[in-house]
Amino acid sequence: MLEVIGVQSTEEMIEKTIPADIRLENPVYREPLSESELLAEMNELAGKNDTFRSYIGLGYYNCNLPSVIKRCVLENPGWYTQYTPYQAEISQGRMETLFNFQSMVCELTGLEISNASLLDEPTAAGEAMSMCYMVSRMKKKRFYVSEDVNPNTIDLLKSRGLPLGIEVEVCNLSETDFEKGKTCGVLFQYPNTHGGVEAHDETVARAASAGAMTVAATDLLALTVLRPPGEFGVDIAVGSAQRFGVPLGFGGPHAAFISCAAKHMRKMPGRIVGKTIDSNDEECFRLALQTREQHIRRGKAVSNICTAQALLANMSALFGLYHGPNGLKDIANRVHAYAVALATAVTENSAHTVVADTFFDTVAFKLSGITADELLAAALAKEINLRKLDDETVCCAFDETVSAADLEELIALFTGGAEVDVEGSGAAPNQFSGTVHGRTSKFMEQEIFNLYHSETEMMRYLKRLENKDLSLCHDMIPLGSCTMKLNSAVEMEAVTMPGFANVHPFAPHEQAKGYHEMFDNIKDILCDVTGYDGMSLQPNSGAQGELAGLMAIRGYHKANGDDHRNICLCPVSAHGTNPASASMAGFTNVDVKVTANGAIDMDDIREKIAKHGDNLAALMITYPSTFGVFDDGLRELCDLIHEAGGQVYLDGANMNANTGLVRPGECGADVSHLNLHKTFCIPHGGGGPGMGPIGVKSQLIPFLPAHRYAVKGDDGEDSGYAISGAPYGSSLITTISYAYCRLMGSNGLTRASEAAIMNANYMASRLSEYYPVRFTGENGFCAHEFIIDLAGFKAVGIEAIDVAKRLQDYGLHAPTMNWPLGNSLMIEPTESESIEALDRFCDAMVSIRAEIDQVATGQYPKDNNPLVHSPHTLAVTLSDSWDRPYPREQAAFPTGKKVDKFWPAVGRVNDVYGDKNLVVRL
């Protein structure tokens, strides 16, 4: 490899790639663990967490994850190692399941459109608020929130509204006048935070008459027996699908949902899976309306959703399929019946009273003769967690795992020892039948929701879906800017350990000692790697991390009396989400030019600083750049920004080239987010989960995200800004990155970066003879990724999409296509891939270049050649007729090998047809 690259050693390659003034000389040394040592440590940490019975609720519930879904999906790399389904032809399995997720959400909420997934319930509420604001064309600034909404949702709404200038007013909705012309939206919880079920028809009607939209934060299980929001005029419904088979995991990852009326579809955030047809006129799936995505729209994005929660949305959809509508109703009725049984027994055997006459799964008691603190202490003695509302009121939330014995224990706790026979309580009729609250409409009657109720049929269905998707189990996925690397089996072990999986995010902190020890350890490791002084684990996606970092900068300027600083400089070479996140943080974007070789134009930077210096808030850069280059002059650039009074945000998306080699915090950067789902090995799960913690220099520590349920004394606790629903983001998958760092040790992390850079330069060297390689450093080397320019082939009718689809015939996944440059492929091999895998891809690209030349010389017509007809399905290859000038063998077996063939499930998808004929649910 070194010989092909043209250097004598790895050290020489690094010297010619990374500017000398930023190279790290002495990384902090950490000893690596063996796999057996790691497992022992993870089991020890898990054992320090207490898995008490939690009846806290607030959108988080214990649930039963069916073993067939756990084993065949959650623990199966054929499901968790895929990327976002941008190459639809080799992503049909997971997109079918996401389509089913959308359909299930629509059926349960009674609304017409749903997306593929969001991050958590509070951030989904924040996205709904942004939707209301956008629908009002950003003219109506007021957003009313019921005082009976979950408190962590209220906190996040206030935080998200602040930079956009949205006035979030928490109030009693029945006593509030929704002022016409000023109110963009109204949000209520259904059922509410203390369990009550209310009729909201009057609120919805008053909001509509004021020209405002309504948002219901709701519960999918409750909606199997409660009247769905869409049936009483609600515009948007949001919530969490966590209780549909996804472990608590101390806060995540979980799939949230959002659904809305069809007229608002183009304002909906996140990813939507839609139906279309392929080149053979067969029905298939693909991502619809992609131009709304944050990295494409840059400064005009409508949401802060980049990484989604596809794996968890798939699990929830499969939970719904496995149980079907009748099974879900059975679970709901049993949960509700136990709640009613508790309320009845407690009121009959004590002086306590029930706060709400009508409730689903959560009962709030006004206590008599005992304080809330005294009752909670008695509960903790029995390893039970309840929720305190105030000094006299306590909540108890039921879930599907509650047993008759649990119910008897709760009754005894509340009544001081009363023994009540609860036999048959789980089969009692629900309170809602025949009332205004009861659901009368049927749901999920489509065939797909009524086929797979046996483990045999579900297992086979899951395998059929898995077989349609290309994952890292098959070959390399060399997506530039995405870092698709090995997620080793041992790193995944802790995800399903009960000590990590079954802890409620709002349980008392002393019950999560193992988690907090791990958090402290991984924050120390990440600070050592980055050179930062403080770290927050709260952001649960890269986009959330960007927003959190920018809000820290915003808070810093405000504290210094510099509220006027609102300009954010974003070079064209920065990650596509950067300007979008800056806009959401309330900054005004100013683009910075790059030179012909892709480096930041220092002359243009100086001009922009001179023009905007007094108002300069921040510079956002990606390093190495999205063009795959280590720019010279990073320290000088940071110094210029600091001299003008600004702060430097260095996007950590490309940290896989820096780890152990460059510390951003020592180069002048003030804040970075780290994509744990990239550099630090959390698998992408077919489009999520992700984690985007932020590291900051000392002056920004007070402005890290806050959370009401975080440990007191955590960094940033007084910032007043929450970024996610849980205090430590998607805590469960943080175990993966922690395991990765412990296994690698400091030398391993450094070696990984060196190998990633070597792999990229090896491939660039091999391919440069056949394709123009754009953007290299001064010595002709790229970082961990590189761009090949395909624009020159447009003259013969071949574009990047044709090369991308043709790669599928080789059993390969295309690199990132048409970004950051049009008609290009951005290739990132990562350190995980062997030389055999690199050569397989390079050989395929060389072969494809030969086919392009055959078109150029006229051997094949521009409109009838292996590239424009790719990918070739099994059905096409075996069809009775073949009217193409190239043989079937060349179409389907371009390498000549006829074994281990991965067949695309469908022909080339027709995106235009799909967007013109939009179908996004069953």
Side-chain angles (χ1 to χ4, degrees):
M1 291 176 73
L2 293 170
E3 184 177 351
V4 170
I5 294 169
V7 293
Q8 297 298 312
S9 65
T10 300
E11 291 73 22
E12 181 186 352
M13 180 193 67
I14 295 300
E15 287 174 3
K16 291 186 174 182
T17 302
I18 303 177
D21 67 329
I22 62 169
R23 284 201 300 271
L24 178 61
E25 297 296 333
N26 298 302
V28 175
Y29 182 75
R30 290 179 184 270
E31 192 75 36
L33 298 182
S34 68
E35 291 195 2
S36 59
E37 289 171 334
L38 172 72
L39 284 175
E41 180 173 310
M42 298 311 288
N43 276 298
E44 181 182 354
L45 289 171
K48 294 180 180 180
N49 295 324
D50 297 320
T51 53
F52 287 6
R53 292 289 307 156
S54 285
Y55 303 94
I56 298 170
L58 284 173
Y60 299 94
Y61 298 87
N62 280 300
C63 58
N64 293 318
L65 169 57
S67 294
V68 64
I69 298 174
K70 175 185 175 184
R71 185 173 179 85
C72 297
V73 179
L74 178 59
E75 296 178 339
N76 181 359
W79 276 87
Y80 66 65
T81 66
Q82 310 122 333
Y83 188 65
T84 298
Y86 288 142
Q87 295 296 330
E89 298 84 359
I90 50 177
S91 308
Q92 290 295 298
R94 86 199 83 139
M95 284 205 287
E96 179 177 328
T97 314
L98 290 173
F99 190 84
N100 292 338
F101 176 84
Q102 293 172 185
S103 302
M104 179 180 73
V105 169
C106 289
E107 290 284 306
L108 291 172
T109 60
L111 287 159
E112 298 159 295
I113 304 296
S114 171
N115 73 5
S117 67
L118 290 178
L119 298 172
D120 58 31
E121 182 174 321
T123 54
E127 298 293 342
M129 178 177 69
S130 296
M131 270 184 75
C132 296
Y133 184 52
M134 295 293 289
V135 170
S136 79
R137 298 184 180 181
M138 296 180 284
K139 294 180 179 178
K140 301 176 183 178
K141 297 282 190 179
R142 194 162 299 155
F143 189 80
Y144 289 101
V145 181
S146 168
E147 59 191 2
D148 293 328
V149 168
N150 288 339
N152 55 327
T153 298
I154 291 174
D155 291 345
L156 194 131
L157 288 168
K158 289 179 178 178
S159 300
R160 291 287 287 270
L162 185 66
L164 297 176
I166 300 174
E167 303 164 10
V168 177
E169 187 168 328
V170 181
C171 61
N172 183 326
L173 295 182
S174 63
E175 299 175 357
T176 302
D177 176 32
F178 308 140
E179 195 171 350
K180 192 170 185 177
K182 294 185 178 180
T183 304
C184 66
V186 178
L187 184 147
F188 54 83
Q189 193 95 32
Y190 173 73
N192 66 31
T193 191
H194 50 74
V197 175
E198 304 171 77
H200 292 280
D201 304 63
E202 189 263 345
T203 297
V204 171
R206 286 195 300 116
S209 66
M213 296 171 65
T214 46
V215 182
T218 189
D219 180 283
L220 292 180
L221 189 65
L223 295 182
T224 64
V225 295
L226 290 179
R227 187 167 56 133
E231 292 184 9
F232 52 90
V234 168
D235 296 291
I236 306 172
V238 299
S240 172
Q242 178 266 320
R243 71 188 309 173
F244 276 26
V246 180
L248 284 166
F250 204 47
H254 309 136
F257 65 85
I258 185 168
S259 57
C260 68
K263 62 184 177 180
H264 302 308
M265 179 190 301
R266 292 179 187 273
K267 299 295 185 186
M268 176 180 277
R271 293 165 179 163
I272 301 176
V273 175
K275 282 189 176 181
T276 187
I277 58 173
D278 71 358
S279 53
N280 308 308
D281 291 330
E282 298 290 335
E283 193 175 78
C284 60
F285 301 99
R286 99 286 185 231
L287 290 181
L289 306 176
Q290 288 189 56
T291 53
R292 302 168 313 115
E293 290 218 19
Q294 180 174 344
H295 70 281
I296 296 171
R297 289 184 59 81
R298 289 177 65 84
K300 298 180 180 179
V302 300
S303 80
N304 192 231
I305 299 301
C306 184
T307 307
Q309 301 281 38
L311 181 67
L312 300 315
N314 283 333
M315 289 173 60
S316 296
L318 293 165
F319 181 95
L321 261 69
Y322 195 44
H323 289 287
N326 293 331
L328 293 177
K329 278 191 291 187
D330 288 345
I331 294 171
N333 282 326
R334 183 173 176 276
V335 167
H336 173 62
Y338 271 15
V340 172
L342 176 67
T344 302
V346 170
T347 53
E348 288 178 353
N349 292 277
S350 73
H352 308 322
T353 57
V354 175
V355 172
D357 293 332
T358 307
F359 48 84
F360 170 60
D361 63 7
T362 301
V363 192
F365 293 101
K366 182 68 73 173
L367 303 178
S368 176
I370 188 173
T371 67
D373 288 337
E374 289 169 340
L375 183 63
L376 260 62
L380 283 174
K382 296 181 177 294
E383 299 189 351
I384 291 173
N385 292 321
L386 300 172
R387 179 185 166 209
K388 175 183 174 181
L389 282 180
D390 57 41
D391 290 341
E392 298 178 337
T393 314
V394 168
C395 271
C396 182
F398 284 82
D399 58 59
E400 66 165 319
T401 69
V402 177
S403 66
D406 293 328
L407 177 58
E408 290 175 352
E409 188 174 34
L410 285 168
I411 292 170
L413 174 68
F414 275 94
T415 61
E419 295 184 8
V420 178
D421 183 8
V422 300
E423 187 176 351
S425 294
N430 71 57
Q431 289 182 324
F432 315 118
S433 297
T435 73
V436 67
H437 302 298
R439 179 164 194 149
T440 57
S441 58
K442 295 182 178 180
F443 60 93
M444 293 170 61
E445 292 188 292
Q446 297 91 339
E447 184 181 39
I448 192 68
F449 296 117
N450 296 280
L451 286 177
Y452 304 113
H453 302 331
S454 75
E455 181 169 319
T456 305
E457 291 304 316
M458 174 57 78
M459 180 176 62
R460 290 170 180 164
Y461 176 60
L462 294 176
K463 192 62 181 179
R464 288 197 298 274
L465 294 177
E466 179 190 344
N467 288 344
K468 295 179 180 181
D469 287 14
L470 192 147
S471 71
L472 284 177
C473 297
H474 298 93
D475 215 306
M476 175 170 60
I477 302 180
L479 285 150
S481 193
C482 301
T483 315
M484 297 292 295
K485 63 201 292 184
L486 172 70
N487 315 114
S488 72
V490 71
E491 291 164 14
M492 307 299 294
E493 289 271 350
V495 170
T496 50
M497 289 180 182
F500 285 116
N502 298 334
V503 183
H504 195 286
F506 306 147
H509 301 303
E510 57 270 18
Q511 294 177 25
K513 291 178 181 176
Y515 262 119
H516 288 294
E517 183 177 333
M518 181 188 69
F519 294 155
D520 290 342
N521 291 343
I522 194 169
K523 285 196 285 187
D524 285 345
I525 292 170
L526 295 178
C527 283
D528 287 344
V529 165
T530 59
Y532 288 120
D533 304 312
M535 188 75 55
S536 169
L537 300 174
Q538 191 179 135
N540 53 4
S541 82
Q544 297 285 83
E546 289 180 16
L547 183 59
L550 290 164
M551 290 301 291
I553 292 174
R554 192 176 188 274
Y556 169 77
H557 287 311
K558 183 177 182 180
N560 291 337
D562 289 339
D563 282 6
H564 60 282
R565 291 189 176 272
N566 67 339
I567 298 296
C568 183
L569 303 180
C570 286
V572 175
S573 59
H575 199 277
T577 57
N578 289 176
S581 294
S583 292
M584 293 167 204
F587 295 125
T588 299
N589 286 295
V590 174
D591 286 341
V592 176
K593 298 176 184 177
V594 295
T595 63
N597 68 355
I600 295 172
D601 188 328
M602 296 299 288
D603 290 337
D604 192 51
I605 276 279
R606 291 185 177 91
E607 288 181 18
K608 298 292 168 59
I609 291 175
K611 181 177 180 180
H612 301 288
D614 290 343
N615 296 312
L616 179 63
L619 165 74
M620 292 192 82
I621 57 172
T622 303
Y623 199 82
S625 74
T626 297
F627 293 163
V629 176
F630 283 99
D631 292 358
D632 284 329
L634 176 60
R635 289 186 184 276
E636 179 189 4
L637 180 63
C638 294
D639 288 343
L640 288 171
I641 299 300
H642 291 149
E643 288 168 8
Q647 297 282 283
V648 176
Y649 186 109
L650 190 147
D651 187 308
N654 291 341
M655 196 67 194
N656 209 48
N658 291 332
T659 306
L661 299 175
V662 177
R663 277 202 191 110
E666 292 183 357
C667 299
D670 300 291
V671 54
S672 295
H673 82 271
L674 301 174
N675 294 101
L676 298 192
H677 52 286
K678 295 184 180 183
T679 305
F680 297 95
C681 271
I682 293 173
H684 286 64
M691 275 283 279
I694 58 170
V696 296
K697 296 300 284 184
S698 58
Q699 76 275 12
L700 295 182
I701 287 176
F703 310 104
L704 287 170
H707 199 287
R708 66 170 60 220
Y709 294 112
V711 174
K712 297 305 176 187
D714 268 11
D715 293 338
E717 68 172 295
D718 297 322
S719 71
Y721 183 79
I723 191 70
S724 298
Y728 306 99
S730 293
S731 303
L732 183 58
I733 56 173
T734 309
T735 61
I736 303 170
S737 295
Y738 179 70
Y740 169 73
C741 292
R742 295 290 281 139
L743 285 167
M744 296 290 275
S746 53
N747 289 346
L749 292 174
T750 303
R751 178 64 183 141
S753 296
E754 292 173 344
I757 294 170
M758 181 184 294
N759 283 358
N761 279 283
Y762 173 76
M763 294 182 75
S765 297
R766 278 208 59 190
L767 293 177
S768 62
E769 182 181 344
Y770 304 92
Y771 301 92
V773 174
R774 292 288 303 274
F775 309 122
T776 58
E778 287 191 359
N779 296 315
F781 289 80
C782 64
H784 66 310
E785 61 189 5
F786 63 99
I787 298 170
I788 58 173
D789 190 346
L790 304 178
F793 303 124
K794 190 171 183 178
V796 297
I798 302 301
E799 300 198 42
I801 189 171
D802 302 308
V803 176
K805 303 307 179 187
R806 184 59 171 149
L807 281 167
Q808 294 179 20
D809 290 325
Y810 290 80
L812 297 169
H813 197 293
T816 300
M817 184 177 67
N818 295 332
W819 188 84
L821 298 181
N823 232 332
S824 70
L825 295 178
M826 182 163 61
I827 301 169
E828 181 185 358
T830 82
E831 75 281 1
S832 299
E833 300 300 340
S834 65
I835 190 170
E836 290 81 9
L838 306 182
D839 283 338
R840 268 196 305 275
F841 186 89
C842 290
D843 290 345
M845 291 297 293
V846 171
S847 175
I848 288 171
R849 175 57 199 267
E851 290 180 338
I852 295 173
D853 290 342
Q854 288 174 316
V855 178
T857 58
Q859 181 175 342
Y860 295 138
K862 290 182 180 180
D863 61 351
N864 192 3
N865 60 69
L867 285 102
V868 298
H869 285 310
S870 62
H872 298 82
T873 63
L874 179 62
V876 166
T877 306
L878 296 179
S879 63
D880 292 336
S881 61
W882 185 263
D883 58 356
R884 300 177 183 179
Y886 52 94
R888 297 174 193 255
E889 287 79 4
Q890 182 180 351
F893 303 104
T895 65
K897 296 180 181 179
K898 299 184 180 180
V899 294
D900 297 329
K901 167 70 178 179
F902 180 88
W903 291 95
V906 299
R908 190 176 302 193
V909 299
N910 189 328
D911 287 314
V912 174
Y913 178 91
D915 281 349
K916 286 183 177 179
N917 304 274
L918 209 57
V919 178
V920 296
R921 58 167 293 185
L922 292 165

